[in-house]
Amino acid sequence: MSPVADGVVPAGPAFSLAVDAMGGDHAPEAILDGLELAAERHPHARFLLVGDEARLGALLALRKRAAKACSLRHAPETISGDMKPTAALRIRGSSMRVAIDAVAAGEAAGVVSAGNTGALMALAKIVVKTLPEIDRPALAAIGPSARGDVVMLDLGANVQCDARNLVEFAVMGDAFARSVLGLTQPSIGLLNVGSEELKGDERVRQAAETLRDSAFGNNFRGFVEGHDIAAGTVDVIVTDGFTGNVALKTGEGALKLMRDLLRQVFTSSIPARIGYLLARPALDRLREWMDPRRYNGAVLIGLNGVVVKSHGGADALGFAHAVDVAMDMVTHRFNDRIREGLARLAETAPPTPAR
């Protein structure tokens, strides 16, 4: 998730990204602090900052790099974290809605928000709309593994999926890994209850058959299991939203448990505290590698624009990483890569029927 080397965004929309400045637990200060970091990483980017204009103007005056990169647009209302998506759809003057409207109107190439997840997904689907070639958008994110970063989707946008959806997720995951991780030939696996070809239900087996016979066949590694996520067996793991969300939350819980256990072990006695001091350099590297801020930025892919969801509790560094993800997708023509992948799929594999 490194920033683009030259920071140049292709010609097109006036703004690289629209930013919902009022969404999230620590908005707007953390959002602007994140943009201060992002503006340094992407010096040619332009951000449309949406929210309370008077409040944002005063805060921008204290952040010179962000002030230079941002234009303000007033939005008088805010979508709360507990608001239902149906209610959020009716608030046309919210900072989230105005930012998303800018993407739909072609003013901005994408949007980043730390606000209400359900509201963002609902607004994005209805206002930005799905790419004509895609049946359903998916929620994707990056996580750590023993071999490096791994992409996983769907993480909750679609609880039930058919074979066609899974194949499309694979194509979008391939484009995501190329755009954000910079991989030239990302490997792909379908999450299943076993690695054998006869395992799983019909939709998973059918999706695997389609991928094997397609232009993605050389990069498709077949079925992978839950332990393969942390092992980094493949670069892209494809599953339905129900399974993906359970796996995501399980992984988050396991990481928290490991941090808590390490804390208990190294504070249990005086020798343990001495051991901590000796091991501190290695533990600091481990902490940095597993820092959740490095993986902030879940992406709703398959839409007519880039839509990135930052964690609501993200600090400045976490929000800057979400901006990095969005900028990588914009700069590397993410949606064009999806279209190219779908064209390759259509040329080499028969249509996958929905079930």
Side-chain angles (χ1 to χ4, degrees):
M1 294 186 295
S2 59
V4 180
D6 57 10
V8 177
V9 178
F15 298 100
S16 308
L17 298 172
V19 177
D20 171 15
M22 312 307 291
D25 301 341
H26 309 298
E29 288 81 4
I31 307 303
L32 270 66
D33 287 340
L35 286 176
E36 182 77 356
L37 295 174
E40 182 178 10
R41 299 176 184 179
H42 309 280
H44 297 281
R46 293 289 299 164
F47 303 108
L48 178 62
L49 191 62
V50 183
D52 184 333
E53 190 170 10
R55 186 177 178 188
L56 295 177
L59 292 171
L60 271 179
L62 305 174
R63 298 162 175 85
K64 293 182 179 180
R65 284 190 295 266
K68 184 178 179 180
C70 292
S71 296
L72 288 176
R73 180 164 299 175
H74 184 59
E77 298 178 274
T78 303
I79 293 174
S80 65
D82 58 354
M83 182 178 292
K84 293 182 178 180
T86 50
L89 290 170
R90 295 193 291 268
I91 305 178
R92 294 185 173 271
S94 71
S95 56
M96 183 184 290
R97 176 61 183 266
V98 174
I100 290 175
D101 282 343
V103 179
E107 293 183 86
V111 60
V112 182
S113 174
N116 184 312
T117 302
L120 182 67
M121 291 175 62
L123 283 167
K125 289 179 183 179
I126 291 174
V127 178
V128 179
K129 302 186 185 307
T130 306
L131 287 169
E133 305 90 343
I134 295 295
D135 183 42
R136 297 182 185 179
L139 193 64
I142 298 170
S145 81
R147 293 180 57 249
D149 293 340
V150 60
V151 176
M152 189 167 176
L153 72 165
D154 179 27
L155 296 177
N158 306 280
V159 174
Q160 294 181 328
C161 300
D162 57 34
R164 173 188 173 185
N165 299 143
L166 294 175
V167 171
E168 289 181 353
F169 294 169
V171 174
M172 293 191 290
D174 173 87
F176 188 74
R178 292 171 186 269
S179 299
V180 179
L181 299 184
L183 302 178
T184 56
Q185 295 292 330
S187 55
I188 303 168
L190 278 172
L191 191 61
N192 201 351
V193 295
S195 59
E196 299 86 353
E197 290 188 13
L198 296 179
K199 288 293 183 72
D201 56 30
E202 184 178 356
R203 67 194 174 93
V204 176
R205 294 197 303 271
Q206 188 174 33
E209 182 179 350
T210 300
L211 288 170
R212 287 192 191 97
D213 295 337
S214 74
F216 296 86
N218 289 336
N219 296 334
F220 180 58
R221 301 292 185 265
F223 297 138
V224 294
E225 300 179 65
H227 61 81
D228 290 305
I229 300 173
T233 305
V234 292
D235 301 310
V236 179
I237 294 180
V238 177
T239 186
D240 61 81
F242 181 90
T243 306
N245 192 267
V246 171
L248 173 68
K249 299 297 173 57
T250 302
E252 290 175 345
L255 287 175
K256 184 179 183 301
L257 174 63
M258 188 177 72
R259 290 195 298 266
D260 291 344
L261 290 176
L262 283 172
R263 187 178 297 110
Q264 291 178 27
V265 167
F266 283 115
T267 58
S268 60
S269 64
I270 292 177
R273 291 176 184 272
I274 296 173
Y276 168 75
L277 293 175
L278 295 174
R280 184 170 181 175
L283 291 171
D284 286 343
R285 289 195 296 272
L286 177 63
R287 186 183 299 110
E288 181 181 355
W289 178 63
M290 298 179 63
D291 188 344
R293 297 177 299 179
R294 291 185 60 237
Y295 303 98
N296 186 42
V299 184
L300 192 60
I301 57 180
L303 300 172
N304 276 307
V306 171
V307 178
V308 174
K309 170 65 175 72
S310 168
H311 192 285
D315 62 8
L317 181 59
F319 193 81
H321 274 288
V323 173
D324 285 346
V325 171
M327 285 297 299
D328 280 343
M329 295 174 72
V330 169
T331 306
H332 295 295
R333 304 181 301 107
F334 174 67
N335 279 348
D336 288 342
R337 288 180 182 266
I338 290 179
R339 295 187 182 96
E340 292 164 3
L342 290 172
R344 289 166 53 209
L345 182 73
E347 292 172 358
T348 56
T352 304
R355 292 187 182 275

